[in-house]
Amino acid sequence: PGPRHAPVVTSPSTMHAIAPTSTSHLVVPRARGPRGSDRARLQRRVTARCAPPSSSTADAAPADRFGSLVQDTLRDMETDEEFQLAQRRLKEEGQAALTREERARRRRALDGLDVPHFDEFVVRNGADALVREPTTILQVNIGLYCNQACSHCHVESSPLRDREVMSERTADRLVELIDAADGSVATLDITGGAPELMEQFRPLVLAARARGVEVIDRCNLTVLYEPGQEDLPSFLAENRVKIVASLPCYSESNTDAQRGRGVFQRSIQALRDLNAVGYGVPGTGLELDLMYNPGGAFLPPAQEKLEVAYRSELGDAYGVKFTRLITLTNMPIKRFADQLHREGKTEEYMKLLVENFNPAAANGVMCRDLVSVSWDGRLFDCDFNQQLDLPMPREK
């Protein structure tokens, strides 16, 4: 975050918080189960290069073999000692204290590298100063509930996060905000958790599309096989929603190591089902982007080269089509920050980020023209600052 001189979509008094904290509902019944996590899988390092799929998994399972992932995820969480420890600390110390501790670890790592404040570092390395421009994208985290509990998740979503879900009142305020923006908000980017499992997901999609606003759905793919989501592909296609889907590798072992047992097979079938309604198929205009992120303390490979590999492996083995591949560098926060700390790699990873700073990427960071809205209606410069609890400051 840097200077904020340009206006946002409406006045500060209405933008600072669009609704008070409130309780809402999920599309599916709230999950109950023992506390735990899938962090044990972090011990199995996932390499930057995806391995080819084995012949035994070249054919994805039929969709009718899939059920909800929630109970499998809860069982995995129950056996993970690291997650259970984190849950105990969360209960005893509170989220705010853990967030401050995590922030202090990153700052100590940067101090050891003699790195200046980020605003100064950006300009010194040839990027434009961080000045906010008019807001064109409204990114909304409508809830932290998810049917998965991925090892890299910077939101720390899981089936246990069943209370941090957007209310109807807050969703209605979002629509009012889009109307008040008088056409300047061009995109509604909906994320979570698994956003499709939130009660307010479809009403927000319909409201935005009725106003000519582009909608992006940040989809984990396995959500297509949760109860009540049988018509999700057709709903998204009918409303011409752009899908950005997580698939961190084209091999089953690497994907399941990061995202949970059974995720790869479900994801492949989900991609096929989305292809069947036109997603990722040239000429339909239905965009289906895939998202890659590393499974450890390393940077992603070159996006162009990895996209070629994805197209070859997914196309040849499974007949899957997609629009483009996006590679994402993991942010050292939340679960990934915990992994780095356990492995003693926080300073090493921060050094890697500093040494690979990209001025071109810095000129396109989301905080310049995006406002991030949390499930309880608070406003942030970006989704990462939202998870670090660094809200936009009030303006006098």
Side-chain angles (χ1 to χ4, degrees):
R4 302 174 180 86
H5 303 306
V8 289
V9 292
T10 187
S11 66
S13 61
T14 57
M15 279 292 293
H16 183 70
I18 60 176
T21 301
S22 55
T23 302
S24 187
H25 304 283
L26 302 169
V27 172
V28 296
R30 287 179 174 172
R32 301 294 180 190
R35 304 258 172 186
S37 162
D38 65 341
R39 288 186 185 171
R41 286 187 291 275
L42 287 172
Q43 305 306 317
R44 303 194 295 271
R45 179 181 176 86
V46 182
T47 60
R49 179 184 181 277
C50 286
S54 65
S55 58
S56 62
T57 62
D59 292 320
D64 59 9
R65 285 178 52 188
F66 299 136
S68 173
L69 261 181
V70 170
Q71 292 304 318
D72 289 342
T73 301
L74 288 171
R75 280 192 291 270
D76 284 347
M77 295 168 74
E78 182 184 13
T79 61
D80 192 313
E81 294 179 2
E82 292 290 344
F83 186 84
Q84 293 176 11
L85 174 61
Q87 288 297 103
R88 287 195 296 270
R89 290 196 61 199
L90 179 63
K91 183 177 180 179
E92 294 169 1
E93 303 175 41
Q95 185 62 66
L98 297 183
T99 299
R100 286 194 299 271
E101 177 185 312
E102 180 188 313
R103 193 182 309 163
R105 288 201 300 261
R106 282 191 302 273
R107 187 65 258 175
R108 285 194 298 270
L110 290 172
D111 288 343
L113 298 171
D114 195 28
V115 178
H117 189 278
F118 188 64
D119 285 341
E120 179 184 348
F121 182 85
V122 165
V123 176
R124 181 187 297 180
N125 285 273
D128 296 336
L130 291 175
V131 178
R132 176 167 283 284
E133 300 169 357
T135 300
T136 61
I137 303 172
L138 201 59
Q139 186 175 67
V140 183
N141 189 315
I142 62 173
L144 303 184
Y145 179 87
C146 189
N147 60 329
Q148 299 178 192
C150 301
S151 62
H152 67 286
C153 184
H154 73 280
V155 185
E156 294 189 310
S157 293
S158 79
L160 300 178
R161 307 296 295 271
D162 59 355
R163 298 188 181 277
E164 295 134 312
V165 179
M166 183 170 286
S167 68
E168 182 179 1
R169 179 183 179 187
T170 302
D172 288 345
R173 289 287 289 126
L174 282 169
V175 177
E176 292 174 12
L177 184 60
I178 292 173
D179 289 339
D182 196 24
S184 69
V185 173
T187 302
L188 178 66
D189 186 343
I190 309 178
T191 184
E196 306 88 349
L197 296 179
M198 311 305 161
E199 189 175 13
Q200 302 308 317
F201 175 75
R202 298 196 186 201
L204 279 175
V205 169
L206 294 173
R209 296 302 295 138
R211 289 160 172 77
V213 174
E214 177 190 41
V215 176
I216 298 174
D217 174 26
R218 304 275 175 171
C219 182
N220 70 8
L221 295 175
T222 65
V223 71
L224 270 65
Y225 307 114
E226 292 297 320
Q229 301 302 317
E230 293 80 7
D231 66 335
L232 182 59
S234 60
F235 172 81
L236 296 173
E238 289 167 5
N239 289 283
R240 306 196 71 78
V241 174
K242 177 179 178 178
I243 298 175
V244 178
S246 300
L247 189 70
C249 194
Y250 46 72
S251 80
E252 182 169 10
S253 59
N254 285 358
T255 296
D256 285 2
Q258 186 178 134
R259 301 183 68 80
R261 287 178 296 174
V263 166
F264 183 79
Q265 285 284 319
R266 285 173 167 83
S267 296
I268 291 298
Q269 186 60 49
L271 290 171
R272 288 171 163 174
D273 290 345
L274 291 170
N275 286 166
V277 297
Y279 273 102
V281 178
T284 64
L286 295 174
E287 295 185 47
L288 172 59
D289 293 348
L290 301 184
M291 181 76 75
Y292 164 90
N293 66 279
F298 47 87
L299 300 179
Q303 184 167 292
E304 295 79 7
K305 292 182 179 180
L306 190 59
E307 181 174 314
V308 172
Y310 262 70
R311 290 194 187 282
S312 174
E313 296 294 344
L314 295 179
D316 292 348
Y318 307 109
V320 165
K321 299 181 178 67
F322 62 94
T323 306
R324 66 182 64 83
L325 178 73
I326 302 169
T327 59
L328 177 70
T329 300
N330 286 331
M331 287 287 287
I333 61 177
K334 301 297 182 179
R335 286 182 188 152
F336 186 57
D338 291 343
Q339 174 190 355
L340 293 172
H341 180 61
R342 286 197 311 273
E343 297 177 352
K345 293 182 177 180
T346 300
E347 184 168 341
E348 173 187 330
Y349 190 72
M350 297 303 291
K351 184 173 185 289
L352 184 67
L353 296 181
V354 169
E355 291 176 344
N356 288 273
F357 177 77
N358 183 352
N363 287 336
V365 291
M366 63 182 73
C367 60
R368 295 185 186 275
D369 62 353
L370 173 148
V371 168
S372 174
V373 184
S374 62
W375 65 271
D376 56 0
R378 294 182 297 151
L379 305 182
F380 301 80
D381 283 307
C382 67
D383 185 54
F384 299 115
N385 277 3
Q386 182 182 141
Q387 307 317 316
L388 293 172
D389 199 26
L390 297 173
M392 296 175 71
R394 291 182 182 271
E395 297 185 22
K396 302 298 183 183

